[in-house]
Amino acid sequence: MQIFYTDLLCIGAGLAGERVAVEAAKAGFDATCLSIVPPRRSHSSAAQGGMQAALGNCVMGEGDSPDIHFEDTVKGSDWGCDQEVARIFADTAPIVMREVAHWGVPWNRVEHGPATYYKGGKPFEAAESKEKHGLIHARAFGGTAKWRTCYTADGTGRSVLNTLDSMCLRYNVNIHDRTQAEALIHDGENCIGAIVRCLRTGELMAYFATATLIATGGYGRIYKATTNAVICDGGGQIAALDTGIVPLGNMEAIQFHPTGTVPTDILVTEGCRGDGGTLLDVNEYRFMPDYEPEKAELASRDVVSRRMQEHMAKGHGVKSPYGDHLWLDIRHLGEKHITTKLREVYDICTSFLGVNPISDLIPVRPTQHYSMGGVRTNKDGAAYGLSGLFSAGEAACWDMHGFNRLGGNSLAETVVAGRYVGKKVVEFLKGHSVDFKQSALRDAHAKIEERIKRLSGSSGKESAIVLRDEMQDIMMDYVGIFRNGKDLQTAVDKLEELHARSMNIGLQGKAIGFNPEISLALRIPGMIKLAQCTAFGALQRTESRGAHTREDHPERNDKDWLNRTLAYWKDGDSLPTLKYEDASPYFEIPPGERGYGGGKIIHADIPAEKLHVPESNASDNAASAEDTK
Amino acid sequence: MSRRLHIEVFRYNPLDPESKPHMQSFYVNEYDSMTLFIALNIIRDQHDPTLQFDFCCRAGICGSCGMVINGRPGLACHTQTKDLPEHIVLHPLPVFKLIGDLSVDTGVWFRDAGTRIEAWVHNDHDSFDPTQEEARMENALANEIFELDRCVECGCCIAACGTARMRTDFLGAASIARVARFYLDPRDERNVENYYEVIGNDQGVFGCMGLLACEDVCPKHIPLQDQLGIMRRMLALHSVKGILPKALIEKLAHKGCCHENHKS
Ligand SMILES: Cc1cc2nc3c(=O)[nH]c(=O)nc-3n(C[C@H](O)[C@H](O)[C@H](O)COP(=O)(O)OP(=O)(O)OC[C@H]3O[C@@H](n4cnc5c(N)ncnc54)[C@H](O)[C@@H]3O)c2cc1C
Ligand code: SF4
Ligand code: SF4
Ligand code: FES
């Protein structure tokens, strides 16, 4: 078996993984990134909208500050986030946008003079200031008090990822693409690398590393309908969970977007509805005003998704070979508007759906979009449970998003956390030398090899494809947008059954070298575990907070549930073990009304000393953010 | 409406000594709005789980799924079956190393090209001062740079290129356009001489025969023709330096192109 040695092993080469790698490489350490696909194909490249940072350069962002960004983020999270982390994020974001500009990101810039913008489908005029001409511009996104989303046309993820990848070239980060981490190498206290499968040859390899970072993105593929790429299968979260020591945080916190398209689930932007698009049912009847007389299609993301689901459950969905859906109607906006302001939507519809949105209806349904939960870390990005293990980006539950993340905050998180955690990783590398224990490597390797052998033997009767389909259906049917105790219990039971069956997967075909069937077969048991963590966490959480909506517990219950779920998986168990910790060490902004979404709140008695930033913390954070200010 | 598609796929597993390159036929019922992404996944799920192909975003954004579709390189996820005849023939992209069936190694190829052209902004990265506001830039220039940053490294332009098929060390249109991207960027401090070193040769602009198959197949509609022209002219003038007067060279270098306004 091939064995590699490196200082920092980044599992994942999306924005988060590459940003951390660059930080370590710049400090003179040997950094290696693993990725299923060439780095520039990572799912970060699909984000079109932009990144939030309170630069306040554009006229609609005037007076913005990290304080306001922080407040928007906390409200967005429905007070589920770690406020210390959200504060670090909001304070660091503007610096990071400038830093990537220095490295080559072609951010759109302020052009002084009058400009025409749109709000609620209506044009208005505003004048950009002369002093700000040429600085980074920003656009509007939901849930924010100011326009603060930095962007490069309709390809922000693409251009920032290109830039970070170019920095990896520049600083000689080793890129090992077409590799998939299968297990962490650890001795119960220290994480010292990973067992990795080569996706060219199918062979197993070992990587010994002083520090290991999980930056594998989201796990949207546990759902059938997701905007996520086909590789967003939670490999990193699974590897962490399988240690039995490292917990996953808030796995039940899943965001759904109202307008994923059918059949390929590609996202069309919220702008369609913002500009006046409507939602229709099988009878081409506009139903949203019946549910939400005031805001109709423009209620918040979670509310609209909930209503769409409800309406389809009543039998008003449009039947299709790909399942039920509804219609998005933008025909009345006219050809000019659609081919200019909504060009990207026009392209998606014509290229992928064979639908011309000028004359036809667009098939849509609420679609899984973002994983708020993930590998639980402290504010330094260090995972709970194992020294030397870090996590950043969508894979992590660093926890600035709590139970709902704002548009534009996740792409920003990847590079902001990447820079911040990267510096902490460098500190760790400077202070540590590690004993690369052969016994730990042998244990981890034996487990994976044994699994591959069992798969290839002819005993297994279950098909990985069937199990995948059943898992995805269960998640769609019982752990979707609307949740209730009965459905969730059904999901937990059915998934437990799948979990048992997943021990018994066999292969249908035989192939020498790399076999894609083995990839799926290796991944499915872990994905079922992630689905179980999601379903079980949702069952236990008897309240509604952010994207987690319980019909049987509609109130946000701060008294009992102002906390974070931690899911552990003990070897041999068929269910996760759940523990809980405080949502935030203190509340710079005390729990209150979000100002949208409505809903009842059961208030908590929070001790006075927790209602402000502790002295020591304030100076601490200032010191660690020293060279960033 | 519903057709039965005959999809013929190139099969070969280089790691299996028994495997010989051959074509294999599959039959799939066509659905509404079916793309080759859906069709190939149906084949893998229902007919042959060992079939190798690459998809990631399935939205025409990541560049994973380049293949030769009825003789023409393109993105499979971005191709609807209704735009194709009933008989569909799929081959892997030529030029790139074959991994198996329809899967080729574009990642390593582009990484190698990126290293050769030093595809990063050359400046003193450590000079970044977090306390200062960003260096200003005209929005129009930012948009021009972004236009070239839209390349998804799918490899279609390389696969369609006669020169790339003949000489393995040809950098291809995508890499030359990448150099043009840095040339355009005022943050990159390289001069003409530096660029000449990386693409002023037969592996670069002087290997290109100008037949423009590349631009024809680019799924992102990157203006490859313009960029090849600009770089060729710029570097050709550089090579006659010392023969023509300097002032004339400077005048000709950016005549009529988008660089005219921002660099001399
Ligand atoms: C369609 C869409 C649009 C979006 N738009 C926006 C937006 O406008 N603004 C915004 O803020 N957010 C947006 N988001 C969310 C945002 O894009 C993601 O949260 C973010 O890009 C995640 O980055 P990452 O670096 O954490 O992970 P990714 O970019 O997903 O990278 C994961 C990396 O891990 C690798 N990997 C995975 N598993 C393994 C394994 N087992 N072994 C080795 N490597 C592995 C992958 O190959 C990849 O390199 C959008 C998301 C989607 C789906
Ligand atoms: S230039 Fe176009 S065809 Fe060539 S790699 Fe880039 S996107 Fe693909
Ligand atoms: S124009 Fe040049 S780069 Fe493009 S296909 Fe022809 S030879 Fe290749
Ligand atoms: S799968 Fe990403 S471009 Fe086709």
Side-chain angles (χ1 to χ4, degrees), chain B residues 161 163 170 173 208-214 228:
Chain B
C161 168
T163 307
F170 183 54
C208 165
M209 300 177 298
L211 300 173
L212 299 172
C214 49
L228 287 167

Side-chain angles (χ1 to χ4, degrees), chain A residues 11-17 34-39 42-52 141 179-182 215-218 227-229 231-236 267 369-370 392-395 405-412 414 523:
Chain A
I11 307 177
L15 284 175
L34 307 178
S35 176
I36 298 175
V37 291
S42 299
H43 201 49
S44 292
S45 67
Q48 303 178 327
M51 296 189 175
Q52 282 204 47
F141 251 47
T179 57
Q180 188 153 19
E182 293 294 343
T216 50
T227 62
N228 288 190
I231 63 165
C232 297
D233 59 11
L267 188 75
H369 184 55
Y370 187 78
E394 191 172 342
R405 69 105 175 156
L406 294 180
N409 255 358
S410 49
L411 211 55
T414 61
R523 193 71 49 238

Side-chain angles (χ1 to χ4, degrees), chain B residues 49-61:
Chain B
T50 65
L51 179 64
Q52 293 192 49
F53 50 69
D54 294 315
F55 288 102
C56 178
C57 71
R58 53 81 178 95
I61 294 170

Side-chain angles (χ1 to χ4, degrees), chain B residues 110 150-158 173-174 214 217-222 224:
Chain B
F110 275 99
R150 285 167 45 245
C151 167
V152 296
E153 304 193 346
C154 62
C156 290
C157 62
I158 312 294
C214 49
V217 299
C218 174
K220 292 285 143 191
H221 308 294
I222 311 265
L224 295 170

Side-chain angles (χ1 to χ4, degrees), chain A residues 442-516:
Chain A
R442 272 197 305 274
D443 288 351
H445 177 255
K447 264 190 205 151
I448 301 302
E449 199 175 40
E450 165 65 25
R451 284 184 59 199
I452 294 177
K453 270 211 193 104
R454 225 175 332 128
L455 284 172
S456 311
S458 50
S459 61
K461 293 288 174 279
E462 297 287 350
S463 143
I465 293 165
V466 170
L467 290 177
R468 178 200 63 196
D469 289 349
E470 287 188 29
M471 166 190 71
Q472 290 176 337
D473 284 336
I474 295 170
M475 294 307 284
M476 295 300 291
D477 292 346
Y478 305 108
V479 200
I481 297 159
F482 265 126
R483 302 169 173 184
N484 63 60
K486 185 162 149 279
D487 283 357
L488 290 169
Q489 187 64 55
T490 309
V492 168
D493 295 345
K494 283 178 180 262
L495 288 168
E496 202 172 351
E497 221 179 285
L498 285 193
H499 173 82
R501 284 166 58 196
S502 74
M503 306 291 148
N504 197 23
I505 296 176
L507 299 184
Q508 293 160 37
K510 291 264 176 290
I512 293 172
F514 171 70
N515 179 356

Side-chain angles (χ1 to χ4, degrees), chain A residues 41 101 109 131 200 226, chain B residues 58 105 136 139 153 187:
Chain A
R41 311 212 191 293
R109 302 300 180 124
E131 295 79 68
R200 290 183 177 82
T226 172
Chain B
R58 53 81 178 95
D105 210 334
R136 290 172 196 246
N139 193 48
E153 304 193 346
R187 292 166 292 199

Side-chain angles (χ1 to χ4, degrees), chain A residues 12-31:
Chain A
L15 284 175
E18 288 207 323
R19 182 61 190 85
V20 175
V22 165
E23 198 63 36
K26 270 162 56 106
F29 290 101
D30 184 75

